[in-house]
Amino acid sequence: MRASPSPSVSGTAVRAVLLDADGVLQVNPPGWLDTLRSLVPAGSGERFTEHLFEAEQAALTGHRSFRDVVAEVLEHWGVPERAEDLVAHYHHIEVVSDTAEVARDLRAAGVPVHLATNQHDLRTAYMRDELGYGDLLDSTFSSCELGVTKSDPDFFVRVVERLGLEPAAVLHVDDKDHYVEAAREAGLRGVVWTVDDGPDALRSALREHGLPI
């Protein structure tokens, strides 16, 4: 985990926190990938998921509906009847209660907390409406709605424009180094943290950035 602020932003107070979804606020249940691979005939699972994840990129940037991507991919693999099973499988998500509590504590202290995530349209709606993120968080910034993924610093440029804040006043927490680097390239603060690091490490990292938690 890396938590130190960039020297260029260290003099600016943090006025909003962005939390990544997968690996930070939520996780897939054990065996999630194996179950996904089992949707196609034995021996094809790994090639199937590679195909699916590549095709999914168009849905992550909002250029296609994930449902259309699923139909096309499953038709290719000869199992079009598994479409609803696959869509439902993407909704198998476990919220990390410790991270959710951090979000609640930050908001109680007057610090807005937003989701910043790479997701397609169906999962974005499910997370916001069914997982309760619409109530837990101040807002959701999803790649499918912004038209760009977190690999591109422009994702974070668009987020801070919508927040009406200086980039240096926004802190992004993510489990992937390259997404944190993209946030820093856009002028934000960044913390690399994953659920495996534990909630105490997250709270400590946030305090290093001057947050009251």
Side-chain angles (χ1 to χ4, degrees):
M1 183 189 70
R2 293 181 299 158
S4 58
S6 167
S8 64
V9 302
S10 58
T12 303
V14 175
R15 297 180 57 195
V17 172
L18 308 179
L19 294 179
D20 174 38
D22 298 295
V24 173
L25 184 56
Q26 65 189 36
V27 294
N28 293 325
W32 187 89
L33 186 57
D34 289 338
T35 301
L36 182 62
R37 288 172 173 164
S38 72
L39 294 176
V40 296
S44 303
E46 187 169 349
R47 288 181 291 119
F48 162 66
T49 52
E50 289 176 356
H51 182 191
L52 175 64
F53 295 156
E54 181 178 355
E56 185 186 9
Q57 295 304 306
L60 293 181
T61 54
H63 291 96
R64 297 191 68 189
S65 165
F66 185 62
R67 193 173 294 279
D68 290 342
V69 170
V70 166
E72 181 178 282
V73 170
L74 292 182
E75 182 69 32
H76 173 85
W77 287 93
V79 286
E81 71 278 3
R82 303 305 301 272
E84 290 307 316
D85 294 331
L86 197 159
V87 169
H89 187 64
Y90 266 75
H91 296 165
H92 294 165
I93 304 166
E94 297 177 354
V95 179
V96 179
S97 58
D98 288 333
T99 312
E101 189 64 28
V102 168
R104 293 187 189 96
D105 288 348
L106 285 170
R107 296 184 72 197
V111 181
V113 181
H114 311 271
L115 196 67
T117 182
N118 290 340
Q119 304 290 341
H120 56 67
D121 54 336
L122 300 185
R123 209 165 189 240
T124 294
Y126 179 83
M127 289 160 53
R128 183 181 288 139
D129 300 333
E130 302 301 326
L131 291 186
Y133 290 170
D135 295 324
L136 175 66
L137 306 166
D138 288 276
S139 61
T140 298
F141 296 105
S142 184
S143 60
C144 68
E145 296 171 338
L146 292 177
V148 62
T149 68
K150 293 185 296 180
S151 298
D152 189 332
D154 196 44
F155 176 100
F156 298 98
V157 171
R158 297 180 189 190
V159 168
V160 295
E161 285 178 349
R162 285 161 173 74
L163 292 176
L165 296 173
E166 296 181 13
V170 181
L171 170 65
H172 179 57
V173 179
D174 206 294
D175 66 321
K176 299 292 192 299
D177 293 67
H178 55 284
Y179 294 147
V180 170
E181 287 305 318
R184 288 173 173 163
E185 284 184 38
L188 286 71
R189 297 173 181 244
V191 167
V192 180
W193 179 87
T194 177
V195 293
D196 293 336
D197 296 325
D200 290 343
L202 176 57
R203 290 176 182 271
S204 177
L206 294 173
R207 285 194 294 270
E208 287 186 22
H209 287 269
L211 288 162
I213 190 165

